[in-house]
Amino acid sequence: MSNSQDLKTLQSEEVELTFEYERLQNCSISLDLTRGKPSTRQTDLSSKLDGILEDNFICEDGSDARNYGGLYGLPEARALGGELLALKPEQVLAGGNSSLTLMHLCVDQCLRLGLGEAKPWLADTKNPVMLCPVPGYDRHFAISESLGIKMQNIAMTDKGPDRAALREAVKNPDVVGIWCVPKYSNPTGCTYDEVTVAAIAQLPGTAACPEFKVFWDNAYSVHDLEVPPTKLASLMSHAQESGTENGVLLFASTSKITFAGSGIAFVGMSESNLAALGKHLAYMTIGPDKVNQLRHVRLLKNNITHHMQKHAAIIKPKFEAVEQCLTQKLGNRNIATWTKPTGGYFISLDTLPGLAKNVIKLAANAGVKLTPAGATYPYGRDPQDTNIRIAPTFVKLDDLEIGMEVVALCIQLATVRQQLENHT
Ligand SMILES: Cc1ncc(COP(=O)(O)O)c(C=O)c1O
């Protein structure tokens, strides 16, 4: 095709796409695909939590959940956390409603006070840096930033963070830790392979910073969409083999198992580290909400797999709808790539360089709210401006289909407009 024919094709494509875009703009669409929240049908799966205790507040050890005590949580709740994190109950603290709070607490303790025998990071460096596999979770980045910790991007592969980049990065003594979402990572959905888990478990032993810590946020450990589920190797087992068990901190919660924001959060670590964390925590609280912990144990004990299968039945069709729409509208056109997670809450979509912001703006102007451009990168800076996080769980299936149609159209329109601009 000659240059002028090529230009004409692009121009007519742009006119057609603009026409379709304006038609959708007139459809009064109002959809929010931003945050990974469970839908009402999903939270309904745990409605039994209300009233499940039927006046029986007595725990397995004979104590009464209604009274003070138990800084580390109910033993049976710690066992539940152990199931999620592949740890012994003694290595787990069952806390309040938010794992992010526990993450903030632990990062802050490592930074200013040191965990257990460890020196605080600030004793050795004025410029602590955390490694951030990208794209990643914006609220992890916000914790680092709020505590004055700098961030360094590490590229993600489909097997986890790039191992060679990690080996190189930890040679810098300012590098004090790493954020990881090891299973169904937010947002790519990737699960770290065993070689990567083993390599990360070794980092606290090989890093130039003697107090290097791995923050292992296993938020989606049981959020499988397929049978058999994807397996994640045990970080703690690998850490024990490498003699680095004091360098790893693991987190989980029931936020996306029962009620988002009204569940139980867990942190797991070596027993000596846990004792040190407990000392610090004791200044803030006499103990967690054990009544809510007891409710959760009564609902979930020996029932997690079955309960999560019910979640999967609700959300799998939504992941399939996103995949179907993207394949149909954008497949084989080399204008976008996206992940096909087998669990978790997100799909990561990449446009051609320089277009994500524009696509998100076009979608917003057609009534579809997407996670702000750059949010999946530290400081909100996506260096290539390509990444868009899709959160399909909250909206209804037919709304999601409409929303994804808008997203796909906006990608086509932004791409064709860019091609026209670049056309010589
Ligand atoms: C990776 C990850 N960690 C933690 C959270 C929030 O956890 P919580 O509700 O326990 O604070 C989310 C929520 O989207 C998440 O995606």
Side-chain angles (χ1 to χ4, degrees), residues 2-278:
S2 77
N3 213 21
S4 65
Q5 273 174 326
D6 198 20
L7 180 63
K8 273 205 182 124
T9 313
L10 282 176
Q11 282 167 336
S12 71
E13 219 182 304
E14 200 271 340
V15 170
E16 264 176 49
L17 289 167
T18 302
F19 181 78
E20 179 58 9
Y21 177 71
E22 286 169 357
R23 187 189 70 78
L24 286 173
Q25 269 188 315
N26 289 328
C27 289
S28 309
I29 297 167
S30 175
L31 291 173
D32 188 340
L33 298 183
T34 56
R35 297 235 70 100
K37 295 201 290 192
S39 64
T40 309
R41 277 183 71 205
Q42 288 177 266
T43 49
D44 280 350
L45 297 173
S46 303
S47 292
K48 267 204 258 161
L49 278 173
D50 187 24
I52 199 167
L53 297 183
E54 296 178 325
D55 282 344
N56 177 1
F57 296 91
I58 304 306
C59 309
E60 288 174 12
D61 63 359
S63 65
D64 186 332
R66 290 171 298 184
N67 225 319
Y68 275 143
L71 181 68
Y72 294 88
L74 291 181
E76 50 269 52
R78 297 173 74 184
L80 198 64
E83 238 185 280
L84 298 180
L85 291 171
L87 293 175
K88 292 187 283 184
E90 306 80 66
Q91 296 170 317
V92 177
L93 179 143
N97 69 328
S98 160
S99 60
L100 282 167
T101 307
L102 293 173
M103 290 176 226
H104 192 287
L105 178 79
C106 289
V107 174
D108 187 33
Q109 186 165 354
C110 292
L111 180 72
R112 294 184 303 112
L113 308 168
L115 191 57
E117 301 294 302
K119 272 201 282 178
W121 291 335
L122 285 175
D124 282 333
T125 170
K126 294 278 164 284
N127 284 308
V129 176
M130 282 181 81
L131 303 179
C132 300
V134 287
Y137 180 38
D138 53 350
R139 291 187 192 270
H140 288 162
F141 308 151
I143 290 178
S144 295
E145 205 170 355
S146 75
L147 292 168
I149 298 170
K150 297 206 175 83
M151 291 172 275
Q152 179 179 332
N153 294 356
I154 296 288
M156 275 291 265
T157 72
D158 58 358
K159 296 180 171 61
D162 184 288
R163 283 183 280 121
L166 288 179
R167 274 196 301 274
E168 197 51 38
V170 299
K171 290 180 185 164
N172 175 357
D174 289 339
V175 170
V176 295
I178 181 169
W179 286 115
C180 296
V181 183
K183 189 166 170 186
Y184 307 136
S185 185
N186 177 348
T188 69
C190 122
T191 297
Y192 299 6
D193 71 353
E194 180 144 16
V195 180
T196 305
V197 175
I200 291 175
Q202 285 167 9
L203 292 178
T206 55
C209 167
E211 307 307 347
F212 184 93
K213 295 281 185 287
V214 177
F215 292 84
W216 195 252
D217 179 2
N218 206 352
Y220 300 107
S221 65
V222 289
H223 302 59
D224 310 298
L225 295 178
E226 305 289 343
V227 181
T230 304
K231 278 216 169 106
L232 173 71
S234 160
L235 178 72
M236 188 54 98
S237 302
H238 280 286
Q240 276 157 350
E241 268 169 38
S242 306
T244 56
E245 59 268 40
N246 285 333
V248 298
L249 292 81
L250 298 87
F251 303 87
S253 79
T254 64
S255 282
K256 287 162 190 173
I257 296 176
T258 57
F259 295 160
S262 305
I264 318 175
F266 306 98
V267 57
M269 53 186 82
S270 70
E271 286 173 59
S272 62
N273 272 350
L274 201 61
L277 180 74

Side-chain angles (χ1 to χ4, degrees), residues 289-307:
D289 178 349
K290 298 198 300 297
V291 173
N292 196 34
Q293 293 192 353
L294 193 58
R295 284 191 202 107
H296 276 77
V297 169
R298 298 252 170 99
L299 183 77
L300 296 175
K301 193 170 177 184
N302 302 323
N303 186 31
I304 294 185
T305 306
H306 180 58
H307 185 79

